[in-house]
Amino acid sequence: MIRALTFATLLIFISCTTTQTSKDYTNASPKVVAPFSDVDTLAINDWWNRGANPIIDLHVSRDSVVAFGMYTVADSKLKLTAQMFPLYPDETRTVRLEIESAEGWEEVQTREVNDIGWSTLFEVSPWDMTRDIPYRIKHGEDAMFEGLIRKDPTDKEQIVLAAFSCNSNKDRGDRANYVRNVNYHDPDVLFFAGDQSYDHKEHTAAWLKFGLQFRDIFRDRPCITIPDDHDIGQGNLWGENGKKAERPQGDDGGYYYPVEYVKMVERCQTAHLPDPYDPTPVERGIGVYYTSFLWGGVDFAIIEDRKFKSGPNGKIPQQGPRPDHVRNPEYDPATIDLPGLKLLGDRQLSFLEDWASRQESTAIKVVLSQTGFCGGAHLHGSQENRLHADLDSNGWPQTGRNKALELIKKANAVHIGGDQHLATVIHHGIEDFDDGPWAFIVPAIVNNYYSRWWWPADEQPGKNSNDVLPWTGQYLDGFNNKITMHAYVNPDAEANGAGYGLIRFNKSENTATFECWPRTTDVTKPEAEQFTGWPITIDL
């Protein structure tokens, strides 16, 4: 009995000494001093002296400091980001990547963690894309994150994309329903369209929280993540080629928070994407990530809606209490579509032109971005707040919107985005109704913050309504853009309209099927149903 008790005590002692630090770092100096002081305060400098916070506990056991990994594989090149919890000054910054072969585990690369954001990037080329390869990220003796680099599924007739957006901090709980459902669907690739973080000035803590919520779906399949406005600390973003915004609202164009903070956010969220089409930075050294990703015979163009877009303040006649909100339904939309205004910017338009012209005969083409190319919502935040037009959407400037849609149409591509907290399927019109591409804006992951409604003022269906929902058919949005609404999920639907999108690309039939699943639905049950109006299958 005494020997057994002693052995148990010894096990507890060993466990404590290997997973927790017993050192007192109170007066220690950080290894790296951050280039900013008013943002990311929970994870910079002497982070260990911070008290409890509502986002996440950063004082983890030392065998848990490897939070997660996230990867893509393109052109026989693996790019894998390792995301760490903050490290103490005397802990090694070296992280190791190992892969499993017939001979066992082999170390293939080591990298040094960046103390600003606590991530690092592995790049391995050439990479064998023809087989599944287990991997693990290791730090020190005990910390490890494991997953699987999938083979390129070129032999599959159907490629499935799961798409998400808007992970509001109004719910900081787990995402178990999403993990269960998505792993049951077993998609080939994941897409997070932005607003993975809503804790504007504390990206690292919020990004770690997001990663712990969703890592069990992206540990073993490629994952595309792109930041949106909330991720870089702004309620809205008109990036205007990287200039400095003078107002926190950012409506004068540019980025308000320190440039190194913006670069950190983009590094953590996008470093693992395929190499940029043109890596030339924009103003102040802010990088770009727009690129393409060919996976399983589906060619994804990943674009940056916000980085080059003009800010409205001081450039157009103000039509409401805010420079970006039009409340007067009698205004002339042409008065705000002025020469010199940008949406995607010349560089991205050149990229889309080139991408659309590529002749991969087997590739279905898809454009992934943050938000939709029209005003697809009427009520914003509450049912009392009706906006005639919202300049945060890609419906403005109209000339830029039409240039983008013409290139998406030229590629015969569909568009997938998020941001709107309102799931919709819209067939765009450029010159005439329905002459443009189709778009699926996926629902918010959490939709109890700033919900939006599709609710025409006259409460009448449009021409050629499908009669599945009350307000489908042809409409003009608040910018006089032509759109045909096929389905929408207002927040009075199940789960407050929260959920995710699933897109099934059938290569032999050349079709795309849009599915829209409520957050609260258990898809493993035979009675599981999608939101009303879905699924929708379109010919490509």
Side-chain angles (χ1 to χ4, degrees):
M1 177 67 179
I2 294 174
R3 290 187 60 186
L5 186 60
T6 303
F7 182 65
T9 304
L10 179 62
L11 284 178
I12 293 172
F13 173 76
I14 293 172
S15 174
C16 289
T17 55
T18 57
T19 62
Q20 300 177 6
T21 178
S22 58
K23 293 185 179 181
D24 182 5
Y25 290 96
T26 305
N27 297 315
S29 298
K31 188 172 183 178
V32 174
V33 177
F36 41 71
S37 59
D38 61 339
V39 290
D40 222 42
T41 58
L42 297 175
I44 60 171
N45 301 338
D46 59 333
W47 62 269
W48 52 88
N49 286 325
R50 307 292 181 267
N53 70 81
I55 305 173
I56 192 172
D57 183 5
L58 297 176
H59 301 264
V60 298
S61 298
R62 308 328 285 166
D63 61 355
S64 301
V65 294
V66 184
F68 58 89
M70 187 177 287
Y71 75 87
T72 62
V73 182
D75 298 323
S76 299
K77 181 179 183 178
L78 168 70
K79 297 183 73 176
L80 187 155
T81 291
Q83 180 62 53
M84 307 292 292
F85 276 90
L87 299 171
Y88 291 105
D90 58 353
E91 288 186 291
T92 180
R93 268 49 177 172
T94 301
V95 184
R96 313 184 301 279
L97 175 64
E98 298 180 352
I99 62 172
E100 189 176 31
S101 64
E103 290 74 35
W105 287 99
E106 171 192 1
E107 182 180 296
V108 294
Q109 204 165 89
T110 62
R111 285 289 183 265
E112 296 297 303
V113 174
N114 189 332
D115 285 38
I116 309 304
W118 300 106
S119 69
T120 193
L121 177 68
F122 296 103
E123 298 180 84
V124 184
S125 179
W127 184 265
D128 184 358
M129 299 177 65
T130 66
R131 62 188 181 93
D132 293 340
I133 301 177
Y135 73 92
R136 62 190 188 189
I137 304 164
K138 299 190 72 175
H139 177 268
E141 293 297 319
D142 303 305
M144 183 171 62
F145 179 84
E146 296 182 277
L148 180 74
I149 309 296
R150 293 195 181 195
K151 69 176 184 179
D152 189 359
T154 53
D155 57 338
K156 294 182 66 174
E157 281 300 306
Q158 179 177 262
I159 300 298
V160 180
L161 171 73
F164 312 83
S165 180
C166 304
N167 189 36
S168 171
N169 59 11
K170 298 297 181 181
D171 177 351
R172 297 192 187 276
D174 63 32
R175 301 292 184 257
N177 279 9
Y178 288 106
V179 172
R180 177 201 61 221
N181 284 1
V182 172
N183 281 331
Y184 182 80
H185 293 305
D186 193 20
D188 301 284
V189 60
L190 308 174
F191 172 48
F192 288 88
D195 295 340
Q196 284 72 250
S197 161
Y198 274 76
D199 288 283
H200 289 186
K201 297 175 69 174
E202 296 293 348
H203 178 265
T204 298
W207 178 242
L208 284 164
K209 181 69 171 181
F210 159 80
L212 296 193
Q213 289 169 329
F214 288 100
R215 64 185 181 181
D216 286 333
I217 64 173
F218 58 65
R219 68 167 68 239
D220 59 1
R221 53 176 62 85
C223 182
I224 298 163
T225 53
I226 57 177
D228 203 1
D229 40 23
H230 292 283
D231 295 290
I232 55 91
Q234 297 179 209
N236 290 310
L237 172 64
W238 298 267
E240 209 160 304
N241 206 47
K243 68 183 278 283
K244 175 74 170 71
E246 299 303 325
R247 292 157 49 89
Q249 300 91 327
D251 51 28
D252 57 320
Y255 295 79
Y256 181 74
Y257 286 107
V259 66
E260 292 300 325
Y261 181 67
V262 174
K263 291 164 70 174
M264 179 198 77
V265 171
E266 294 195 347
R267 181 170 62 246
C268 289
Q269 294 210 21
T270 70
H272 69 285
L273 298 182
D275 295 342
Y277 177 79
D278 172 7
T280 306
V282 295
E283 291 181 30
R284 301 190 294 150
I286 295 173
V288 297
Y289 57 82
Y290 63 91
T291 188
S292 60
F293 174 46
L294 183 63
W295 190 250
V298 177
D299 193 0
F300 298 97
I302 304 164
I303 61 174
E304 305 184 57
D305 300 20
R306 319 292 201 182
K307 185 155 285 175
F308 302 94
K309 186 177 180 179
S310 302
N313 192 11
K315 300 182 182 68
I316 62 171
Q318 189 162 321
Q319 303 286 343
R322 285 172 42 168
D324 56 320
H325 286 175
V326 176
R327 293 193 177 276
N328 176 17
E330 304 301 324
Y331 92 116
D332 179 2
T335 63
I336 63 170
D337 186 26
L338 302 178
L341 296 175
K342 303 289 187 182
L343 179 55
L344 296 187
D346 297 339
R347 289 174 56 180
Q348 284 196 113
L349 291 175
S350 296
F351 160 62
L352 283 177
E353 177 78 45
D354 180 42
W355 177 76
S357 302
R358 297 176 191 170
Q359 298 299 316
E360 287 105 355
S361 59
T362 62
I364 290 173
K365 290 183 180 287
V366 184
V367 172
L368 304 177
S369 76
Q370 284 102 341
T371 195
F373 288 92
C374 67
H378 299 105
L379 309 180
H380 293 242
S382 72
Q383 290 185 304
E384 292 70 43
N385 186 33
R386 177 175 292 273
L387 297 182
H388 185 69
D390 178 14
L391 277 67
D392 176 54
S393 77
N394 284 345
W396 174 84
Q398 299 95 306
T399 297
R401 175 254 190 191
N402 290 338
K403 287 180 179 179
L405 290 181
E406 285 166 358
L407 291 173
I408 297 172
K409 176 185 176 182
K410 179 180 178 180
N412 203 31
V414 296
H415 173 235
I416 310 297
D419 173 65
Q420 290 294 295
H421 304 210
L422 174 66
T424 58
V425 172
I426 289 172
H427 195 177
H428 287 290
I430 304 171
E431 296 295 332
D432 298 306
F433 283 102
D434 302 325
D435 67 351
W438 287 79
F440 180 14
I441 302 302
V442 300
I445 295 168
V446 177
N447 200 31
N448 55 8
Y449 169 74
Y450 206 80
S451 300
R452 293 179 175 91
W453 287 256
W454 172 259
W455 198 302
D458 62 6
E459 299 187 348
Q460 295 300 309
K463 183 180 179 181
N464 297 333
S465 169
N466 61 25
D467 297 323
V468 176
L469 289 159
W471 304 312
T472 59
Q474 295 175 350
Y475 294 88
L476 295 177
D477 73 3
F479 306 106
N480 273 2
N481 298 315
K482 298 178 177 67
I483 61 174
T484 301
M485 179 66 72
H486 285 262
Y488 55 89
V489 182
N490 283 338
D492 50 2
E494 183 180 350
N496 302 116
Y500 62 99
L502 206 70
I503 304 93
R504 301 182 184 274
F505 300 103
N506 189 301
K507 292 186 289 187
S508 60
E509 297 178 3
N510 203 33
T511 61
T513 298
F514 304 139
E515 299 182 5
C516 197
W517 292 95
R519 175 184 183 180
T520 51
T521 294
D522 182 349
V523 300
T524 69
K525 305 295 185 184
E527 66 272 16
E529 293 185 353
Q530 299 177 48
F531 284 115
T532 301
W534 279 267
I536 295 173
T537 299
I538 62 168
D539 290 324
L540 300 173

